[in-house]
């Protein structure tokens, strides 16, 4: 397909254009979903559409978009497909539609599941067409489309329909294509394979002719495709004009090869076939590689293919190969070549007798083999089973260059992957930043092929997994860096001065011209490395700027990343810059290098260290920073400048740029990933295969784990025995006591262990299940008395969990992987908090790590954890978000240290009081140590003496009066609620006495824990102790975990359980890093549980660059990947957030999402929305003055009519008495958000009667939040845009609790296939706003009842704006009247005379 030239935006068709199109007219007759009477199927229509709309327009993306959007595939192509009507045009049409669906990132294979019986025949036709000779039936461009389709098939192995067909192409029988000698060699290596091979042979002999022919075609398909590619590649000349169709075909073919090599199921047998075809060697010698412009992307793809063909993995077993194993393989190859040379080729005698290290470099191999004749080289190759043997007296048909390259590239020494990575600079340079094959522009349309790794379902090894993520993370941050560099340079306006040099015509907040730059240290390399251990430089700038900006520059902290830039402008002073021209050439941008701040220098030239001491005040405007440069980059630059006589980059810098701290942590994350790759990466055995995407996806479910726990204390999870019985439907409940008075929570439950053969999910009934596995033994137990004070009573859970929530809590308490899918409003956080609490009480020695995506989610978790029975000394929060916690308490490291120190003093005061009450002399409450002695010698002795007096003698019941009489601590407990002892029964009073002692005992155990804080003096040491020893529940964001992994591992941080909230919003790599924040113990990870809670039907992680998001699938979270792989999930199935009618707008996306009872019962859900006929409505908005959407900047969409309409509706609701904080205005684009804010500022922002809504923000930003009433603007009028992503629609529909009012161009959205379930419900109601102006908030009318007041239909935006204006004026008049009646007039406090709202005629485009 024709890629869109980079830098040009692809324009989507407008509604009016859609309606005028030939395709639309056809679709209205034949397949449009809204048309009732459709014409019968006619295959000529497909031919017609294909020739006119696709081929004739050269596969114009616009036409294909239109066809796909019109539901051509779903309603016409596939439902009517059969072998009788199949034709090339038919096949090509289906492929174009599927490819377009992948480009648009919408589900592609669902349609085919409707008539799966036709798919095998269709796929067979695709294979035949892919191998057809060019111009005979299909052009090369059409075959490129087929290659893309095949690539999508190979990348969709999780779809059963696809996998059945694709597996036949890549199984062991494909080795029939190998050279006979090579086949023998491979079968000899693995004896088991010989057995399989013979079995296959026998099976094939029994086949009938037709089946045998098809099997033959399938197993030879990829080999034939490679031969076809060779033909195309050879036909590309070295120079002259060349059809780009050939180049695109070659690029797409290499992409297909990379994808086959990068997946273990496809690679297993294919890698040998690929190696046997010598594809990589032939590509390197091709003309296309020599063509600099056309061959650039091809070369980059080829490098990736070469990397994967030599990947460090055993193809058959799938095990990663160690450094030693790779060296052994290399030595075996060289020595077998040497043996061959020694035995058969006397001219290679020197080579045969040399040691390996002397001959395994490229230069040495070329020197030894270069002098041989082509025939001799062919013989060497055939001896090594690389080529067929050369008959006597015949000359080889291969060129010498090919034969030599094949032998050399096969035997040369490879730099190991990890070594390459360690030598790689972490900062991007100008070469990568502006290379659009690697870092595409924001205009990437999803069409072209790119030299980027992809994140799919499976990975070869952990190294491959980390490497792909490393590269993508690096490139995504490079894209953001490019945007920042372009922004500051264009603001600085560098021009050429009159006498050469640079003149800056502007200024930038985030960049400053450099006054001087000098390298101050280049340290010696570490042993075994060839790059310096560190390189430091000093950068001086002049901060003659506003005070605020100066403080920002002075606030640069240690480890902040900055960029050093060299510009040499070519444009004279005052020349205008053209944004359409390439950036770097136009601005004269030569070099970009990264650096890391060490600190600012004081007047004596010393680095000012960070710490509690105030920083010295520096005089003047000149500031010098000491920075660390990247040693790898420095080494490369120096080598290059010495070898090529080039200038020294480090003497040219003239700009330093800083970045926002929040967006500037890429280097730390990259270093973390690189460190992980250098360490022995130990993932728990039970997780290893699942993370790579292999084996049984349910193998880590608790029912399959060998170490299941039979009896668990569910603590306060259940509110009553009835709640417990309701929570386990299908189970027989046996309680250990029959007395109903004793059947009170907390409960200990013994659940039959399922021995690894258990059901994957609750509810999947097993016919053979015996009675025993369905019986639960429930043991109520009493929490021991904790003391006489009211605060000693444990805090209790008050939530009545549903059976599915209980299943999620049960799974989270068992070892293994638990995945909880939580639709909107289903209590994800409550489940998470209960799991944490239950783990804390069941396993007091274990530590739990909580990871979330945002600080806000962490805060919500913490606020709920504090409401449960968890001692707050065991809570710790790492990172910068703790200041946002809406509590008095500080859970950060230093906050906890202060808490412990304050608590220590408090407890010591209690010890003092106890000492006084017992009349013991001396100062025992001075330190934790003295308190410990006091406890041992004074408290314990008294308690033991007391026990001996009051303990009941054997066979006799105890005396109730003695319990209180002899109690030694009466005086201490004098401040507790009296009387302490009830005096009614011996057992009860004895329990109270023991409770009192437990209270005292707890004081001393806590002091014993705090003793270390007396020994550790510095705040840092104390905080480290807290993190490593004291805290049991540690929380952080995923970013913090990625940044601080190195420090945590060094400290010896340990944890047993991980709970991740918002797991579907966290990047794959940021989900993986928290698994490895600790060093393995004896080579094993101590991780026992991994609980992930998220919702993959809501929005994924944010990726700014479209290419990484679409082409590389970087937005796929690990949670989503696990769901795609089929890992068992617990799907929460009852929501308590929204009205049932609002829930229907999104519950179709979930397995079975119902409502909690209170949604039908509570008054707020039962009453109607005052002033509105409906609780939700889709309101059609036509253009205002003929204008719909506008786009002042790329992707910055605005729609004035919708903005005005939304604000007018907000004002109407305020005038009816709705509180402003219960209304939020959402939109799908940033541009519209800014426009709505402007309109609010102009209309009502400063008016105290109306004010501002709770929030005006984008749908994406509002994920995870909710409000009672949502006003939503969908903005677009030309194309659906990114709302076509159903996940965004789900978030948009599920934010409102009581009312949702949507403004949109209905004709555009109702045709969109993906959105139909929601839009069918929305369009079933009137598309004009129906209001009840005289009904004020709150109302008594029940929801769904017809209003008794007069209703009014609003036809358009100006009508509502005028109506609101008149309503407002009427209200002001009424207020004036009311004031006049009151004597004397009250002093106005809040209500000032507001400025009248202008009529709609005065509206200006804001």
């Amino acid at each position: 397909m024709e890629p869109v030239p980079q830098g040009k935006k692809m324009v989507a068709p407008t509604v009016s254009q859609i309606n005028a199109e030939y395709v639309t007219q056809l679709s209205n007759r034949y397949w449009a979903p809204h048309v009732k009477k459709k014409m019968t199927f006619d295959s000529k229509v497909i031919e017609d559409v294909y020739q006119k709309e696709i081929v004739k327009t050269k596969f114009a993306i616009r036409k294909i978009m239109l066809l796909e959007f019109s539901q051509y595939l779903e309603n016409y192509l596939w439902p009517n497909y059969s072998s009788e009507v199949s034709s090339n045009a038919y096949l090509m049409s289906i492929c174009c539609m599927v490819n377009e669906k992948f480009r648009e990132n919408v589900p592609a294979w669902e349609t085919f599941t409707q008539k799966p019986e036709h798919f095998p025949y269709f796929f067979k036709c695709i294979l035949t067409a892919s191998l057809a000779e060019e111009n005979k039936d299909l052009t090369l461009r059409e075959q490129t489309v087929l290659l893309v389709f095949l690539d999508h098939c190979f990348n969709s192995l999780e779809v059963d329909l696809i996998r059945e067909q694709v597996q036949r192409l890549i199984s062991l029988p494909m080795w029939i294509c190998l050279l006979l000698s090579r086949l023998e060699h491979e079968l000899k290596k693995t004896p088991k394979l010989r057995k399989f091979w013979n079995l296959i042979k026998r099976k094939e002999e029994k086949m009938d002719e037709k089946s045998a022919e098809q099997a033959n075609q399938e197993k030879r398909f990829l080999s034939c495709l490679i031969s076809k590619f060779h033909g195309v590649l050879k036909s590309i000349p070295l120079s002259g004009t060349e059809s780009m169709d050939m180049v695109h075909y070659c690029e797409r073919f290499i992409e297909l090869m990379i994808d086959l090599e990068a997946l273990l199921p496809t690679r297993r047998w294919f890698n040998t076939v690929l190696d046997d075809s010598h594809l990589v060697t032939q590509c390197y010698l091709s003309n296309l590689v020599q063509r600099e412009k056309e061959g650039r992307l091809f070369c980059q793809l080829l490098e990736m293919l070469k990397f994967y063909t030599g990947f460090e993995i055993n193809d058959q077993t799938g095990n990663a190969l160690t450094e030693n194993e790779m060296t052994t393989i290399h030595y075996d190859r060289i020595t077998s070549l040497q043996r061959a040379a020694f035995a058969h080729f006397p001219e290679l005698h020197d080579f045969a007798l040399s040691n390996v290290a002397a001959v395994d470099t490229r230069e040495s191999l070329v020197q030894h083999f270069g002098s041989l004749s082509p025939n001799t080289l062919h013989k060497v190759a055939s001896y090594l089973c690389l080529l067929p043997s050369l008959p006597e007296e015949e000359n080889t048909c291969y060129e010498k260059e090919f034969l030599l390259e094949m032998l050399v590239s096969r035997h040369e020494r490879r730099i190991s992957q990890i070594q390459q990575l360690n030598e790689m600079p972490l900062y991007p340079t100008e070469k990568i930043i502006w290379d659009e094959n690697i870092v595409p522009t924001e205009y990437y349309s999803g069409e072209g092929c790119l030299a980027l790794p992809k994140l799919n379902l499976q990975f070869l090894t952990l190294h491959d997994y980390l490497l792909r993520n490393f590269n993508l993370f690096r490139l995504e941050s490079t894209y953001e860096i490019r945007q920042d560099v372009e922004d500051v340079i264009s603001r600085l306006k560098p021009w050429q001065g009159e006498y050469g040099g640079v003149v800056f015509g502007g200024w930038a907040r985030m960049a400053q011209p450099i006054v001087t730059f000098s390298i101050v240290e280049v340290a010696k390399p570490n042993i075994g490395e060839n790059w310096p251990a560190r390189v430091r430089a000093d950068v001086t700038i002049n901060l003659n700027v506003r005070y605020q900006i100066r403080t920002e520059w002075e606030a640069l902290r240690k480890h902040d990343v900055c960029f050093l830039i060299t510009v040499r402008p070519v444009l004279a002073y005052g020349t205008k810059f053209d944004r359409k021209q390439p950036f770097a050439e136009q601005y004269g941008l030569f070099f970009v290098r990264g650096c890391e701040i060490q600190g600012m220098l004081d007047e004596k030239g010393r680095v000012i260290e960070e710490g509690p001491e105030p920083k010295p005040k520096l005089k003047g405007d000149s500031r010098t920073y000491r920075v660390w440069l990247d040693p790898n980059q420095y080494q490369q630059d120096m080598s290059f400048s010495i070898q090529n006589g080039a200038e020294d980059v480090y003497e040219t810098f003239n700009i330093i740029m800083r970045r926002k701290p929040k967006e500037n942590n890429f280097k730390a994350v990259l270093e973390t990933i690189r460190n992980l790759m250098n360490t022995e990466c130990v993932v728990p055995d039970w997780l290893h295969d699942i993370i790579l995407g292999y084996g049984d996806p349910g193998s880590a479910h608790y029912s399959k784990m060998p170490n299941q726990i039979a009896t668990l204390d569910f603590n306060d999870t259940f509110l009553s025995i009835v709640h417990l019985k309701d929570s386990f439907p299908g189970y027989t409940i046996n309680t250990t006591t029959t007395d109903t008075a004793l059947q009170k929570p907390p409960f200990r439950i013994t659940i039959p262990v399922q021995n690894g053969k258990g059901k994957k999910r609750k509810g999947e009934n097993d016919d053979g299940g015996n009675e025993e596995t369905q019986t639960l033994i429930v043991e109520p137990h009493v929490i021991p008395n904790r003391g006489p004070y009211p605060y000693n009573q444990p805090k209790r859970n008050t939530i009545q969990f549903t059976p599915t929530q209980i299943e999620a809590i049960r799974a989270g308490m068992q070892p293994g992987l638990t995945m909880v899918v939580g639709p909107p409003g289903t209590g994800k956080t409550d489940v998470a908090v209960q799991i944490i609490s239950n783990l804390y009480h069941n396993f007091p020695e274990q530590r739990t790590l909580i990871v979330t995506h945002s600080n806000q989610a962490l805060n919500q978790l913490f606020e709920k954890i504090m409401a449960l029975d968890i001692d707050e000394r065991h809570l710790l929060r790492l990172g910068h978000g703790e200041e946002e916690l809406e509590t008095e308490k500080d859970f950060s490291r230093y906050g906890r240290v202060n808490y412990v120190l304050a608590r220590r003093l408090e407890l010591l005061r209690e010890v003092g009081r106890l000492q006084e009450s017992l009349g013991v002399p001396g100062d025992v409450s001075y330190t934790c140590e003295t308190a410990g002695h006091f406890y041992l010698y004074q408290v314990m002795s008294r308690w033991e003496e007391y026990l001996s007096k009051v303990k009941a003698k054997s066979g006799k019941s105890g005396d109730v009066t003695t319990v209180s009489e002899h109690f030694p601590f009466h005086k201490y407990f004098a401040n507790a609620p009296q009387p302490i002892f009830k005096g009614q029964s011996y057992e009860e009073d004895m329990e109270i006495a023991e409770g009192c002692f437990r209270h005292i005992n707890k004081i001393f155990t806590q002091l014993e824990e705090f003793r270390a804080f007396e020994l550790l003096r510095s705040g840092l040491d104390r905080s480290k102790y807290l993190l490593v020893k004291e805290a049991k529940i540690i929380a952080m964001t995923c970013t913090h975990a990625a940044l601080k992994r190195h420090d945590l591992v060094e400290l010896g941080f340990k944890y047993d359980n991980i709970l991740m909230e918002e797991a579907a919003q966290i990047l794959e790599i940021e989900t993986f890093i928290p698994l490895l924040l600790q060093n393995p113990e004896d080579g094993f990870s101590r991780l026992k549980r991994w609980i992930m809670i998220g919702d993959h039907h809501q929005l994924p992680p944010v990726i700014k660059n479209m290419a990484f998001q679409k082409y590389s699938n970087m937005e796929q979270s690990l949670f989503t990947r696990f769901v795609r792989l089929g890992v068992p999930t617990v799907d929460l199935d009852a929501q308590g957030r929204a009205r049932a009618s609002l829930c229907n707008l999104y519950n179709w996306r979930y397995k079975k999402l119902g409502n909690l009872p209170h949604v039908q019962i509570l008054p707020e859900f039962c009453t109607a929305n005052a002033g509105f006929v409906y609780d939700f409505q889709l309101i059609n908005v036509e253009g205002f003055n003929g204008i719909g959407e506008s786009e002042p900047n790329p992707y910055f969409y605005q729609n004035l009519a919708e903005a005005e309409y939304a604000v007018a509706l907000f004002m109407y609701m305020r005038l009816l008495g709705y509180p402003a904080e219960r209304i939020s205005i959402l939109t799908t684009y940033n541009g519209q958000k800014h426009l709505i804010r402007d309109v609010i500022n102009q209309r009502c922002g400063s008016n105290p009667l109306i004010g501002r809504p709770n929030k005006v923000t984008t749908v994406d930003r509002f994920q995870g939040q909710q409000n009672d009433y949502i006003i939503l603007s969908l903005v677009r009028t030309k194309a659906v845009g990114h709302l076509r992503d159903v996940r965004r629609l789900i978030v948009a529909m599920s934010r409102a609790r009581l009312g949702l009012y949507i403004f949109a161009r209905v004709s555009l959205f109702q045709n969109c296939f993906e959105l139909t379930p929601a839009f069918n419900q929305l369009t079933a109601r009137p598309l004009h706003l129906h209001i009840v102006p005289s009904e004020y908030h709150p109302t008594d009318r029940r929801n769904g009842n017809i209003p008794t007041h007069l209703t009014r239909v609003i036809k358009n935006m100006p009508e509502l704006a005028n109506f609101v204006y008149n309503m407002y004026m009427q209200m002001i008049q009424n207020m004036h009247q009311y004031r006049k009646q009151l004597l004397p007039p009250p002093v106005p406090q809040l209500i000032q005379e507001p400025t009248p709202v202008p009529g709609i005629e005065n509206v200006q485009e804001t």
Side-chain angles (χ1 to χ4, degrees), residues 59-75:
F59 292 80
I61 194 99
R62 209 176 134 277
K63 297 284 187 185
I64 293 174
M65 265 173 91
L66 265 178
L67 274 166
E68 191 275 323
F69 192 70
S70 74
Q71 304 185 28
Y72 187 38
L73 177 66
E74 294 88 339
N75 294 344

Side-chain angles (χ1 to χ4, degrees), residues 409-474:
S409 61
R410 194 175 184 77
H411 295 97
E412 67 181 323
R413 188 191 312 157
R414 286 256 175 104
I415 305 177
S416 80
Q417 291 167 11
I418 201 72
Q419 193 183 336
Q420 281 173 313
L421 193 75
N422 290 340
E423 289 175 7
M424 188 167 130
L426 289 177
Y427 302 109
T429 65
E430 70 289 341
K431 286 190 177 68
I432 291 177
I433 294 179
W434 282 279
D435 184 337
E436 287 177 5
N437 288 333
I438 301 175
V439 187
T441 65
E442 59 267 41
Y443 291 125
Y444 175 71
S445 67
E447 247 191 308
C449 167
L450 298 167
L452 294 175
K454 295 179 186 174
L455 302 183
N456 200 355
L457 279 178
Q458 299 171 316
F459 299 88
L460 295 176
T461 61
L462 276 177
H463 180 87
D464 176 43
Y465 174 73
L466 288 167
L467 191 65
R468 288 195 222 182
N469 278 291
F470 176 87
N471 286 329
L472 282 175
F473 194 89
R474 178 164 161 263

Side-chain angles (χ1 to χ4, degrees), residues 1224-1291:
S1224 294
I1225 303 182
L1226 303 184
T1227 174
T1228 43
Y1229 287 91
N1230 259 321
Q1232 184 75 343
K1233 172 189 77 179
H1234 291 296
L1235 180 59
I1236 292 172
R1237 285 178 183 172
D1238 289 347
V1239 174
I1240 285 173
N1241 290 340
Q1242 201 177 344
R1243 296 270 171 274
C1244 57
S1246 51
N1247 185 332
L1249 269 183
I1250 298 173
R1252 301 169 189 282
N1254 174 290
K1255 274 209 175 122
V1256 177
T1257 185
T1258 59
V1259 170
D1260 298 46
R1261 277 293 166 107
F1262 205 65
Q1263 179 162 341
Q1265 300 172 61
Q1266 61 188 49
N1267 209 341
D1268 289 353
Y1269 305 98
I1270 297 289
I1271 300 170
L1272 173 64
S1273 162
L1274 299 185
V1275 190
R1276 303 299 298 275
T1277 58
K1278 293 180 180 173
V1280 173
H1282 64 194
L1283 191 71
R1284 195 166 177 196
D1285 186 337
V1286 180
R1287 297 171 296 190
R1288 190 167 280 103
L1289 177 82
I1290 298 297
V1291 175

Side-chain angles (χ1 to χ4, degrees), residues 184 191 194 225 247 264 276 410 608 658-659 700 1027 1183 1292 1361:
E184 279 306 310
R194 170 86 64 191
L225 197 62
V247 178
L264 194 59
D276 190 56
R410 194 175 184 77
I608 301 168
R658 64 192 173 94
R659 300 179 71 218
L1027 171 66

Side-chain angles (χ1 to χ4, degrees), residues 928-956:
C928 298
E929 189 177 6
T930 54
H933 291 304
F934 167 65
Y935 172 67
L936 204 60
Y937 297 117
Q938 303 288 345
V939 180
M940 275 306 286
S941 58
R942 282 172 169 76
W943 175 248
E944 281 163 358
E945 186 188 337
Y946 166 69
L947 283 181
S948 65
K949 286 178 186 171
V950 298
K951 273 284 184 218
K953 304 287 182 288
S954 58
K956 294 180 185 176

Side-chain angles (χ1 to χ4, degrees), residues 1035-1068:
M1036 61 183 82
T1037 62
C1038 53
T1039 313
H1040 186 84
L1043 294 180
K1044 299 291 180 190
R1045 180 190 176 269
H1046 181 251
D1047 303 354
L1048 291 169
V1049 169
E1050 270 200 342
L1051 275 177
F1053 179 53
K1054 294 271 181 282
Y1055 53 94
D1056 306 85
N1057 314 307
I1058 289 185
L1059 183 135
M1060 287 183 182
E1061 253 267 49
E1062 304 181 310
Q1065 280 179 272
I1066 308 179
L1067 280 177
E1068 174 102 38

Side-chain angles (χ1 to χ4, degrees), residues 623-721:
R623 298 285 179 273
T624 302
Y625 294 92
R626 175 83 29 97
V627 298
W628 287 296
L629 299 171
D630 188 322
N632 288 335
Q633 187 65 56
Y634 185 79
Q635 160 71 16
Q636 286 180 16
D637 287 335
M638 287 299 126
S639 307
F640 183 78
S641 84
I642 290 164
Q643 284 164 13
N644 301 318
E647 66 180 328
D648 181 354
V649 175
Y650 297 89
E651 289 176 8
T652 65
F653 299 131
N654 50 13
I655 297 171
I656 181 169
M657 177 188 96
R658 64 192 173 94
R659 300 179 71 218
K660 288 178 190 159
K662 254 189 171 175
E663 296 164 4
N664 204 20
N665 45 32
F666 75 97
K667 178 172 184 273
V669 177
L670 290 176
E671 265 180 338
T672 296
I673 303 174
R674 187 156 76 177
N675 289 343
L676 277 177
M677 290 162 90
N678 276 290
T679 52
E680 195 49 61
C681 204
V682 179
V683 174
D685 288 344
W686 50 274
L687 268 181
H688 185 275
D689 285 0
I690 290 185
I691 285 178
L692 294 180
Y694 300 113
D696 171 14
S699 60
H701 187 258
Y702 73 85
S703 61
K704 306 253 181 97
M705 294 293 280
N707 54 344
Q708 276 181 75
I709 300 160
T711 304
L712 285 166
D713 181 357
F714 276 78
N715 201 25
D716 56 356
T717 308
F718 302 102
L719 304 184
S720 64
I721 189 76

Side-chain angles (χ1 to χ4, degrees), residues 665-899:
N665 45 32
F666 75 97
K667 178 172 184 273
V669 177
L670 290 176
E671 265 180 338
T672 296
I673 303 174
R674 187 156 76 177
N675 289 343
L676 277 177
M677 290 162 90
N678 276 290
T679 52
E680 195 49 61
C681 204
V682 179
V683 174
D685 288 344
W686 50 274
L687 268 181
H688 185 275
D689 285 0
I690 290 185
I691 285 178
L692 294 180
Y694 300 113
D696 171 14
S699 60
H701 187 258
Y702 73 85
S703 61
K704 306 253 181 97
M705 294 293 280
N707 54 344
Q708 276 181 75
I709 300 160
T711 304
L712 285 166
D713 181 357
F714 276 78
N715 201 25
D716 56 356
T717 308
F718 302 102
L719 304 184
S720 64
I721 189 76
V722 179
H723 179 205
L724 186 147
K725 286 176 179 171
D726 292 345
S727 299
F728 290 101
Y731 280 90
T732 310
I733 310 285
N734 290 345
T735 43
T736 53
T737 171
T738 49
D739 184 351
T740 49
L742 294 175
Q743 291 180 357
K744 286 181 182 167
F747 298 113
R748 231 178 248 115
I749 304 183
T750 304
I751 303 175
V753 169
Q754 297 174 351
N755 295 331
K757 299 184 183 67
K759 298 193 293 290
K760 265 205 283 192
R761 296 192 189 121
K762 195 170 127 291
E764 287 179 16
N765 288 322
D766 203 0
D767 296 337
N770 55 17
E771 195 52 40
E772 193 185 307
T773 60
Q774 295 295 314
T775 305
L776 301 183
I777 298 162
V778 176
E779 179 198 345
H781 64 96
V782 179
I783 294 176
N785 188 315
R786 294 186 186 178
Y789 298 100
Y791 65 77
N792 288 130
Q793 294 308 311
K795 298 174 191 166
R796 286 285 176 87
N797 158 50
T798 54
I799 294 164
Q800 179 147 0
F801 290 111
T802 65
T804 357
Q805 287 177 318
I806 294 292
E807 169 64 13
I809 292 166
R810 168 191 171 182
M813 291 164 71
Q814 291 283 8
L817 169 66
T818 301
M819 303 244 312
V820 182
V821 175
T826 49
K828 295 189 278 284
T829 312
D830 296 323
V831 168
V833 169
Q834 195 60 41
I835 292 173
I836 291 162
S837 168
N838 288 2
L839 288 174
Y840 173 82
H841 288 288
N842 274 281
F843 312 103
E845 73 295 340
Q846 291 186 12
R847 313 178 72 213
T848 302
L849 175 66
I850 303 174
V851 180
T852 67
H853 171 248
S854 63
N855 278 310
Q856 181 193 1
L858 216 44
N859 295 341
Q860 285 172 355
L861 265 173
F862 253 68
E863 280 151 25
K864 290 192 173 180
I865 288 173
M866 283 157 58
L868 287 179
D869 182 26
I870 290 175
D871 193 325
E872 66 172 88
R873 76 177 191 275
H874 291 139
L875 294 173
L876 176 62
R877 164 86 188 265
L878 300 180
H880 287 296
E882 58 273 352
E883 57 270 12
E884 298 162 17
L885 258 174
E886 292 169 16
T887 62
E888 304 288 305
K889 295 165 179 164
D890 180 359
F891 287 95
S892 68
R893 274 200 207 190
Y894 291 109
R896 290 293 85 190
V897 168
N898 293 338
Y899 165 79

